[in-house]
Amino acid sequence: MSSTIPMFFVIRPFYCPDDPEWSNFTKYFAANFTRFGLKKLISTSYAKSSGSQQLTLFEMDSPLYDEKLHPAHGKLFTLTRDTNHSGQIDTDDIVFSGYLDGDGDFRSPEVSKLRDEADIIITNPPFSLFREFLAWITEANKKFIIIGNMNAITYKTVFPLISHNQLWLGYSIHSGDRKFNVPDSYPLNAAGYGIDSDGKKFIRVKGVRWFTNIDHGKRHEQLILDTMEHNLKFNKKLRKKFEKDYGKLEYPHYDNYDAIEVPFTDAIPSDYDGVMGVPITFMDKYNPDQFEIIGMAENEDLYKLKTRIYTSEEKKDAYFAKFGRSGQYDLNASGVVKQWGRFEKVYQRLLIRERRNSSHENNTAH
């Protein structure tokens, strides 16, 4: 990030404590203010969050502190310069800039105004409001890095952004659970919680990812694939699933859409040119230069995928004569149709196809 480019961050942690004294988001960017070439760091708090109820030194030591306004009003904190003349800009230079008129809800006009001032928005929004929060960001055409549940990929308002390469998953060294610090008052009465080496409480949340529209190198890493024959011969997890579920080692073909079922990302065949149904965790490895997203399997045809519709017994019989009657996946079916053979509704699937080019062919495993 160049120091000549104004960089503004609106950081509004919901899941973690909000105010700068509690927020690791704010601490991180304050500590790296100069290194990142930032011009201004804006941090607001939501009055109804547990972290915001705690009185920080930034607020208490400020002449703007008001005991009556503290409980019900959101708070605004800014960082722009070395206020204590220490020779560096860090957390100690954060200034309490006053109370918001309202409680600090992101949908309020005053917080939206701060959004419009920012270049980049980084936060952990409430998962229950993820759709609304993402719409709030995108309507302002802002860069962002936000935390969300993996299942958000399947939301009707989110998937079109992904399929049109306007939204993708952020950089991560691993998939799976994410660890979040919580206030001392937070009850640890659910699975996946603990206390770290610093004595701070934390919880683990499953299926959490970064969502962003900021490009990064990992997004363009080539996924090394093996052939269909080799996958069926050497991929033990794939063999076990196919033998257990279908009694034979072959990629099932969907009954109502011309695509094969690929239950694991590492089982995507390098030598298949058609459409493949893959789990949503594929997005952890998605390279837009290597793959094309065709759509997503839905009970409703939201993405004009032209799923198969049988208009006569003759057409249905012709289809089964070609693909067989048993062991077929039905991409959208709601139940089992026993008289046609074995049909199953699969978990949500992304429909993808490999982009074929010379650079890709040189990177496949054989």
Side-chain angles (χ1 to χ4, degrees):
M1 298 180 184
S2 172
S3 60
T4 62
I5 302 176
M7 298 295 297
F8 298 89
F9 288 77
V10 175
I11 301 175
R12 307 191 63 251
F14 287 87
Y15 216 102
C16 301
D18 301 305
D19 290 347
E21 196 161 275
W22 323 111
S23 168
N24 286 327
F25 279 120
T26 303
K27 288 179 181 178
Y28 178 79
F29 287 107
N32 292 279
F33 191 91
T34 301
R35 183 165 74 94
F36 289 164
L38 308 185
K39 295 299 181 182
K40 187 175 185 180
L41 176 65
I42 305 171
S43 182
T44 66
S45 66
Y46 180 51
K48 297 178 182 179
S49 69
S50 57
S52 186
Q53 295 301 313
Q54 303 178 61
L55 187 61
T56 69
L57 294 176
F58 299 108
E59 181 184 358
M60 185 172 60
D61 292 344
S62 171
L64 299 176
Y65 170 61
D66 188 316
E67 184 178 4
K68 294 181 179 180
L69 295 179
H70 170 80
H73 289 259
K75 303 164 189 68
L76 174 63
F77 301 86
T78 57
L79 176 61
T80 58
R81 60 188 179 85
D82 178 13
T83 58
N84 61 1
H85 306 292
S86 65
Q88 61 182 8
I89 302 176
D90 53 28
T91 306
D92 293 334
D93 299 304
I94 293 175
V95 175
F96 173 59
S97 299
Y99 298 94
L100 300 172
D101 293 335
D103 59 13
D105 190 297
F106 69 86
R107 294 161 291 194
S108 66
E110 58 183 337
V111 176
S112 295
K113 185 176 180 180
L114 294 172
R115 171 203 65 184
D116 295 341
E117 180 185 349
D119 287 337
I120 302 177
I121 299 170
I122 301 178
T123 189
N124 176 22
F127 287 3
S128 62
L129 295 176
F130 186 86
R131 298 173 180 84
E132 193 168 352
F133 189 82
L134 183 60
W136 179 79
I137 296 176
T138 55
E139 72 179 10
N141 195 29
K142 297 298 178 180
K143 295 294 184 181
F144 59 87
I145 306 173
I146 59 177
I147 297 174
N149 189 281
M150 187 76 174
N151 288 326
I153 290 172
T154 67
Y155 296 167
K156 295 177 183 179
T157 55
V158 176
F159 180 75
L161 297 175
I162 291 175
S163 63
H164 290 96
N165 280 316
Q166 297 171 320
L167 172 69
W168 46 85
L169 297 190
Y171 183 90
S172 178
I173 58 175
H174 61 83
S175 58
D177 301 352
R178 293 294 186 273
K179 176 181 171 182
F180 293 86
N181 286 115
V182 294
D184 292 337
S185 59
Y186 193 92
L188 296 181
N189 54 8
Y193 64 84
I195 300 176
D196 63 20
S197 58
D198 295 326
K200 296 181 179 179
K201 291 183 177 181
F202 69 86
I203 61 172
R204 294 188 184 279
V205 182
K206 292 183 178 297
V208 174
R209 298 292 190 276
W210 292 102
F211 289 80
T212 186
N213 59 357
I214 300 175
D215 208 1
H216 54 89
K218 191 174 179 66
R219 179 172 175 252
H220 298 278
E221 290 181 356
Q222 201 81 6
L223 179 61
I224 305 301
L225 306 173
D226 210 341
T227 65
M228 182 177 287
E229 180 184 359
H230 281 193
N231 284 335
L232 293 172
K233 185 176 182 179
F234 299 113
N235 190 319
K236 294 181 180 180
K237 183 169 62 172
L238 184 70
R239 288 175 59 89
K240 182 178 180 180
K241 181 171 180 59
F242 283 176
E243 288 175 341
K244 177 184 176 182
D245 291 353
Y246 318 116
K248 54 184 178 180
L249 291 176
E250 64 179 44
Y251 285 79
H253 197 285
Y254 297 123
D255 168 60
N256 61 339
Y257 188 71
D258 189 9
I260 61 170
E261 160 71 4
V262 182
F264 312 112
T265 298
D266 64 3
I268 295 174
S270 63
D271 54 351
Y272 186 76
D273 293 327
V275 179
M276 298 170 280
V278 296
I280 61 174
T281 50
F282 162 78
M283 290 304 302
D284 286 323
K285 302 292 186 179
Y286 173 54
N287 175 349
D289 307 318
Q290 184 178 5
F291 295 98
E292 174 187 7
I293 296 179
I294 306 298
M296 181 173 62
E298 284 281 342
N299 287 330
E300 301 175 65
D301 190 11
L302 299 175
Y303 308 105
K304 306 300 180 185
L305 295 178
K306 298 181 180 178
T307 53
R308 293 183 183 278
I309 299 175
Y310 295 114
T311 57
S312 69
E313 288 296 315
E314 181 181 355
K315 287 188 176 181
K316 184 175 68 176
D317 291 341
Y319 175 81
F320 286 123
K322 180 178 181 180
F323 293 106
R325 290 175 175 269
S326 63
Q328 301 291 327
Y329 260 124
D330 187 337
L331 198 60
N332 300 325
S334 57
V336 177
V337 187
K338 295 182 179 179
Q339 66 270 28
W340 291 354
R342 181 184 177 186
F343 283 77
E344 297 181 21
K345 167 80 183 296
V346 298
Y347 287 108
Q348 189 64 267
R349 289 293 187 258
L350 302 179
L351 299 173
I352 67 167
R353 179 166 48 210
E354 264 198 275
R355 299 183 188 276
R356 294 295 180 182
N357 54 61
S358 56
S359 62
H360 163 66
E361 294 295 343
N362 291 332
N363 283 281
T364 54
H366 297 287

